[in-house]
Amino acid sequence: MPKVGMEAERRRSLIDATVDAIHERGYSDITMAQIAKRAGVSGGLVHHYFGSKDQLLAATMRHLLAELVREISEGLANAETPRQRISAIIAGNFAVDQFQPTVIAAWLAFYVQSRTTDSNRRLLRIYAARLASNLTHALLAFMPRHEARRIAEGTASMIDGVWIRQALSDTKTDRQAAIAMVEDYVETQIAAHAARTSNM
């Protein structure tokens, strides 16, 4: 009889192996057999759990998204003002366990595959919609909805852009610098809106 929790443990080890393999070799060059070997399980087992490499990538991204949501939720739980909520969302998107080379490489693969894989595209849309919605809600304390939505989209684009630039860079990740860059954009936009309003 298999031990209780063994399946979940094996799935997690396969997801971890997928993240490491993508970082080391790139998504296109890895096989299910290589991932299975890295995780210490049989090739048949990885096919049994996930079916295909695209499904394994989707499962990996669902796991990373769940971790991302957890990080952001923990930050939001401690936020007392709308501005603190914005900062919690930004900081959560650059959490220590997320903003690191292996995970960044997995996210980049996810973005590329989402163009041709429906399941990945749906996951990406859910992530993007949730990020924009959370930011918009917090920004409503400073401006009308149409402005809040515009700046939320700009903030989300900044976050995504920092991740993509880091994926293409050989430099060490610096989460504090990344957070400061996005925070500066938000602060500038809020101040600019306040200045336009006061001049009316």
Side-chain angles (χ1 to χ4, degrees):
M1 294 288 291
K3 293 181 180 179
V4 175
M6 183 62 76
E7 180 176 340
E9 188 177 313
R10 285 174 174 166
R11 284 177 177 271
R12 177 57 190 272
S13 69
L14 284 164
I15 286 171
D16 290 342
T18 302
V19 171
D20 290 340
I22 290 172
H23 177 243
E24 185 178 302
R25 304 190 60 174
Y27 180 73
S28 298
D29 291 338
I30 59 173
T31 66
M32 295 279 273
Q34 289 168 344
I35 293 170
K37 182 177 181 181
R38 185 183 287 264
V41 302
S42 69
L45 195 62
V46 66
H47 281 281
H48 170 71
Y49 285 153
F50 299 105
S52 70
K53 192 168 77 166
D54 283 346
Q55 290 174 334
L56 176 54
L57 178 61
T60 300
M61 298 321 301
R62 281 194 295 270
H63 169 75
L64 293 177
L65 278 167
E67 291 292 300
L68 179 61
V69 168
R70 180 183 60 77
E71 293 280 359
I72 293 172
S73 297
E74 288 178 0
L76 288 173
N78 295 319
E80 297 179 354
T81 67
R83 187 63 184 85
Q84 288 176 358
R85 289 180 64 84
I86 295 170
S87 292
I89 294 166
I90 294 170
N93 274 277
F94 296 102
V96 174
D97 291 340
Q98 289 276 330
F99 196 58
Q100 55 177 299
T102 53
V103 178
I104 290 169
W107 270 99
L108 187 60
F110 179 57
Y111 271 91
V112 172
Q113 291 303 114
S114 70
R115 292 179 57 82
T116 57
T117 307
D118 288 341
S119 60
N120 291 349
R121 189 181 302 116
R122 283 193 297 272
L123 282 174
L124 187 57
R125 284 175 177 169
I126 290 169
Y127 152 74
R130 180 178 291 157
L131 176 59
S133 176
N134 286 338
L135 287 167
T136 299
H137 179 72
L139 285 162
L140 287 173
F142 305 97
M143 61 198 67
R145 180 169 293 277
H146 70 280
E147 280 288 290
R149 180 69 184 182
R150 179 182 67 81
I151 295 171
E153 290 291 347
T155 306
S157 296
M158 283 280 293
I159 291 169
D160 290 343
V162 172
W163 274 75
I164 291 170
R165 285 178 66 86
Q166 186 63 55
L168 301 175
S169 172
D170 293 328
T171 60
K172 184 179 179 181
T173 55
D174 185 342
R175 64 181 299 269
Q176 294 302 331
I179 290 170
M181 191 184 307
V182 182
E183 285 279 2
D184 182 65
Y185 169 79
V186 171
E187 198 61 36
T188 299
Q189 292 299 316
I190 290 175
H193 174 78
R196 287 195 300 271
T197 303
S198 66
N199 290 331
M200 287 182 178

